[in-house]
Amino acid sequence: MTAATKSVRSSKQNRIKGSPHVFTIVVLVLAAFYFLMPVWWLIVASTKTNGGLFFGAHGSMWFDDKFAFFDNFMQLITYGDGIYWRWIANSFLYALVGGFGATAVAVLAGYGFSKYRFRGKNLYFNIVLGALMIPSTALVIPTFLLMSNIGMTNTIWAVLLPSLLNPMGVYLMRIYCMQSLPDEMIEASRVDGAGELRTFFQVSLPIMTPAITTVFLLSVVGAWNNFFLPQVVLTNPRLFPITVGLTQWQVKSQAGAASEQVWNLVTSGAFISIIPMVLAFLFLQRYWVGGLTAGAVKS
Amino acid sequence: MAKNKSKTAKRNRSSSVGRKEGLWGWVFTLPFGIIFLVFLVIPLVYAFYVSLFTYTQVHGESFSGFANYQRVLTDKIFLVGLGRVILYTVVMVPIQLGLALVFALLLDSLKNRFASFSRLVIFLPYAIPGVIGALMWGFMYSKNMGPFTSVFELFGLPAPEILSTNGIFGALVNVVTWQWTGYYMVILYSALQSIPTELYESARIDGASELRIATRIKVPMVSGSIVMVTIFSLIGTLQFYTEPTILRNQAPTVIPPEYTPNMYAQALAFNYNQTNYSATVSFALGLVVVLFSVLFMRLTRKQSGLGD
């Protein structure tokens, strides 16, 4: 806060000199306001009762007289036998296991593509690059059709297994290996008599750690945010991730009679569900940025 | 240059251990190859196969060749949906990228704590699922639950009809812009960070203004990243699905179930039980997206870093 006011003040002095700093500050303040507004709305809304959401005493952008966040929280525990927490747990399962698997596959492939020469490699890698162009959702209906044919829909595998496909991760890992993992190092390890696997685990993997973290984070966010695929391949509510579950509550509240309306659960549930990712995002910031840089500045 | 060097080094080595090395190359890339085959190649081939059949009550499923593709080319619902996402792309991509670039340049010129705070806030929506983003904005748009009604009343104006036929386009553009601008901004910002600062110093000494430095040095230096981000944004917008689906729950009369091609494919498979035709629509949409990206990459070949 103080940093902000300080720079505002210094930019005022600058304006006299004709510096464009004040323009910069104004634009960024407006931007911050815009990007935070819906989040603020959600925080406020998560503390309101069902009625308070519509007829709150101080408007939609401020807290109501009754602070109902903890009531909402308790209701989330009991409503529908606590299915909300089941959805959260499912989201964690899909995001972490799927993200881990996708990362492992991408690390191996990125390493293989950058450090080995083999027959057909160029064609193989160009196909991977081409896959970056194929829209992920164009695969959803085909994957669903295939899975329903072999009776795999409505299982956790229907969500987990397709999330292992991560061509972007392979692409990022390959760039990182080419830039930061010297061939000489691998060669030296071979001369010392270490096998290929040992070289990979003991020499290469430790150096690849920053890129691995980034690819893992990106995969986890991708899987956590996923909506189309789980919505299509799952019908059993007990398998839903949080994105699909909350949508179902939204539909129910919109269509249902007054007793079925759970707007307060949609808002407080949505708010609680974004906390883990927002925290991860704040604390692991440099890893996100690191990975995106690797993708952005190609050697 | 470094690349060439390592290539020759590799070649020398490969003559001695070529065969073994080739084997290990396949070992490391095999898991990905299998996943790629099972969850990309096979579904696409299968969908294509399914799209060559037609189901009728009388004859059951029968081979119909490219009849479904003929149908999709004249299907008004599909074409209107496709036109709609193209319109969204034409409007949304420049807005998102323009804002992302402006923010990235401003943040790059202002390296202090306020800048890092702003960067964090602008990037924050990336950590929030698209579903939740659309839910929040949907609530904000609503006359009863959102702030806009009272803001307009303050000025004696009637409450805006955002979730209406006229308002929905802008409403969706806003949701997506909010959700993705920060992600693109961070990519561009990272690219800007990697430009050597000496380049600006000499331009400054020559008396170039900051604006001129931004447009003449910074933007051209990150053009590769701009192309890449544009392709991401293009692909994402043509597959528009999540946001209109969520807003449709709130405004079912404004957004039809076949609003975008992806929504159409979903509705065909689930509401109308037309599996074969649904596969056709998915496949056709995939083709259109690939065509658009390839076309765009051709047009921007010089800047594109993907033409390795």
Side-chain angles (χ1 to χ4, degrees), chain A residues 21 34-35 38 41 60 114 117-118 124 135 137 141 145 149 161 187 228 231 250 254 281 285 296-298, chain B residues 10 13 21 29 33 46 110 119-120 123 139 145-147 174 178 194 225 239 241 246 249 262 275 282 305:
Chain A
H21 250 50
Y34 168 72
F35 285 100
W41 181 90
S60 61
S114 74
R117 266 164 51 87
F118 52 93
Y124 189 1
T137 65
I141 298 287
L145 296 176
N149 208 15
L161 292 178
E187 201 58 39
F228 193 13
Q231 193 216 20
Q250 182 209 12
Q254 189 77 34
F281 160 86
Q285 224 209 120
V297 262
K298 203 181 141 282
Chain B
K10 265 185 192 166
R13 195 178 65 222
E21 189 182 328
T29 53
Y46 181 72
L110 188 83
R119 198 183 71 213
L120 206 61
F123 189 34
F139 285 137
M145 290 161 96
N174 175 54
W178 180 83
S194 67
S225 301
Q239 336 174 42
Y241 178 81
I246 301 294
N249 293 337
N262 256 333
T275 317
S282 276

Side-chain angles (χ1 to χ4, degrees), chain B residues 251-264:
Chain B
T253 52
V254 179
I255 302 180
E258 323 85 14
Y259 194 67
T260 70
N262 256 333
M263 290 170 76
Y264 187 34

